[in-house]
Amino acid sequence: MQIQQRLLVVLAHPDDESFLCGGTIAKMSERGVQITLLCATKGEMGRRMGNPIVTTREALPELRVEELKRACGELGISDLRFLNVRDKTIEFESFDLLAERIVNVIREVQPDALITFHEKYGGHPDHCAIGRAAAFAFLNSGDPNFYPNPVLFPAIKVHSLYFVLWHAFYDEWLKENGPGSVTEVNIAGTLKKKIRALRSHRSQTLAVPELWTNQNPSLPFLKESEYFIKGNSLPNLEETDFFQTIERMG
């Protein structure tokens, strides 16, 4: 009997999952991977409220949560959770407390792989802050002496760590680290699901007309590949799948 693989995605805002790794999430879901999305905020400080405006500043958080739920349905995310940190303030949260909360989720979900932001290449203070905390949690979730709470969930070591690599940072990263440091995932087969997920975030994407008016929009974040920085796998191991290293080890 094959054990179901699990993927934990730790990001900052509603729509991060669709823009950055929607095609990959959908691909993993199609192959039977159980996916948990841990979203740090509800995006209440997002500067977009539709085009034309479809909500108010006060109602925006509730709307963005509903949009995220619809996007999760498109991508096959069955487990959505929030840390309920205020948007644009993650970097000011207690790092230890934030890491502890992520460790608790890791120990409950028991993922085989974790995706988050790189603390340097996140592109936004919230992204970098949640990525730093998630990477720290990844490194320490297997230590029973780290935030011990045996009443809840036992310590567990996650096999693989990956960081989303936004297209704007791709060339810079490769120049500094080489192609062997990146995992490329072909998402041609799930690109339409990614587009539908992005359209679910209506308040944020109405400002991108091509996404709505073109059946096959040509945008930098809608290529047929998504890229991920290898957090702990061998730099020269060619990967096209988050679970290759796990399967080779096991």
Side-chain angles (χ1 to χ4, degrees):
M1 180 177 176
Q2 186 175 3
I3 298 175
Q4 186 179 35
Q5 293 167 321
R6 297 183 178 92
L7 175 65
L8 175 61
V9 184
V10 184
L11 301 174
H13 311 107
D15 78 21
D16 287 345
E17 81 299 327
S18 298
F19 275 108
L20 293 158
C21 51
T24 299
I25 289 173
K27 184 173 184 175
M28 295 295 102
S29 177
E30 285 183 355
R31 60 172 281 184
V33 176
Q34 170 76 26
I35 299 166
T36 295
L37 172 61
L38 181 59
C39 189
T41 79
K42 294 180 178 177
E44 58 266 39
M45 296 302 292
R47 57 192 176 91
R48 292 175 177 171
M49 290 184 285
N51 185 22
I53 292 174
V54 297
T55 187
T56 63
R57 174 62 60 193
E58 292 74 18
L60 182 61
E62 183 178 351
L63 174 61
R64 295 199 69 182
V65 168
E66 290 305 312
E67 290 177 339
L68 179 54
K69 289 178 179 177
R70 287 194 289 272
C72 286
E74 296 289 355
L75 300 177
I77 298 170
S78 58
D79 182 17
L80 171 61
R81 307 177 184 213
F82 290 93
L83 287 174
N84 293 316
V85 179
R86 184 169 177 79
D87 191 7
K88 293 191 176 180
T89 71
I90 300 177
E91 63 184 309
F92 305 113
E93 289 288 309
S94 163
F95 179 82
D96 288 342
L97 181 57
L98 195 58
E100 179 179 1
R101 295 176 69 191
I102 298 171
V103 164
N104 286 335
V105 174
I106 290 173
R107 289 174 175 175
E108 179 185 355
V109 172
Q110 300 187 18
D112 301 288
L114 187 153
I115 298 174
T116 190
F117 288 103
H118 191 281
E119 65 175 308
K120 180 181 176 183
Y121 289 86
H124 183 290
D126 276 354
H127 297 177
C128 297
I130 196 65
R132 178 169 171 258
F136 187 77
F138 166 86
L139 291 172
N140 291 281
S141 62
D143 182 354
N145 296 313
F146 187 81
Y147 301 141
N149 195 341
V151 176
L152 291 177
F153 307 103
I156 177 174
K157 180 175 175 58
V158 186
H159 288 285
S160 301
L161 174 66
Y162 295 90
F163 303 106
V164 289
L165 182 56
W166 185 236
H167 65 89
F169 301 116
Y170 179 79
D171 290 339
E172 181 183 350
W173 174 268
L174 251 62
K175 183 178 179 181
E176 292 184 8
N177 300 278
S181 63
V182 172
T183 292
E184 177 180 355
V185 179
N186 186 310
I187 63 163
T190 54
L191 190 53
K192 291 189 181 301
K193 287 187 176 182
K194 177 174 181 172
I195 292 171
R196 291 200 299 270
L198 283 164
R199 288 172 177 167
S200 296
H201 292 285
R202 189 166 174 262
S203 67
Q204 305 304 299
T205 60
L206 281 171
V208 188
E210 188 177 353
L211 185 64
W212 291 86
T213 59
N214 194 324
Q215 189 68 24
N216 296 297
S218 176
L219 295 162
F221 51 85
L222 291 178
K223 304 297 184 183
E224 292 190 348
S225 291
E226 289 175 339
Y227 299 94
F228 301 84
I229 298 167
K230 298 175 183 178
N232 71 323
S233 58
L234 297 175
N236 295 320
L237 175 65
E238 184 176 349
E239 291 182 324
T240 57
D241 189 297
F242 294 135
F243 300 97
Q244 283 180 342
T245 304
I246 298 169
E247 290 164 357
R248 291 180 187 186
M249 288 172 60

